[in-house]
């Protein structure tokens, strides 16, 4: 059964993935590195994790966010 994550958390993870990919294409971009740090902090401190979620939940969040990104790219 797939986990249900808060929409804002999934959106932040999607932004993190897009920023990471942009940084991989254009290294040495301070703005992108700072954005990645900010998004990482938002993900790590999201109230969803206060309930003691596992590392597997974080992995599932990344997987779901990537799947949504792929789905969006295919329909665009």
């Amino acid at each position: 059964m797939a986990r249900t994550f808060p929409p804002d958390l999934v959106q932040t993870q999607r932004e993190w993935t897009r920023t990471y990919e942009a940084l991989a294409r254009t290294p040495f971009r301070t703005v992108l590195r700072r954005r990645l740090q900010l998004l990482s902090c938002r993900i790590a401190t999201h109230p969803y994790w206060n309930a003691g979620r596992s590392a597997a939940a974080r992995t599932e969040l990344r997987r779901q966010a990537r799947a949504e990104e792929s789905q969006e790219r295919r329909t665009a």
Side-chain angles (χ1 to χ4, degrees):
M1 184 171 120
R3 296 176 192 266
T4 302
F5 295 100
D8 64 320
L9 181 57
V10 175
Q11 181 59 35
T12 303
Q13 181 64 52
R14 289 178 68 186
E15 290 176 32
W16 187 97
T17 301
R18 285 192 299 268
T19 304
Y20 186 86
E21 290 171 353
L23 185 58
R25 287 188 306 272
T26 313
F28 308 112
R29 298 296 304 204
T30 301
V31 171
L32 293 175
R33 286 195 312 271
R34 287 183 182 153
R35 177 83 177 139
L36 199 59
Q37 266 188 315
L38 173 69
L39 293 169
S40 294
C41 289
R42 285 184 184 166
I43 292 168
T45 60
H46 192 280
Y48 177 81
W49 306 118
N50 290 345
R53 311 284 193 218
S54 67
R58 292 177 191 267
T59 301
E60 178 63 15
L61 171 64
R62 287 190 295 274
R63 189 200 65 73
Q64 283 186 26
R66 284 189 197 114
E68 285 185 18
E69 255 332 276
S70 295
Q71 177 79 18
E72 188 175 292
R73 288 179 184 157
R74 278 180 269 165
T75 59

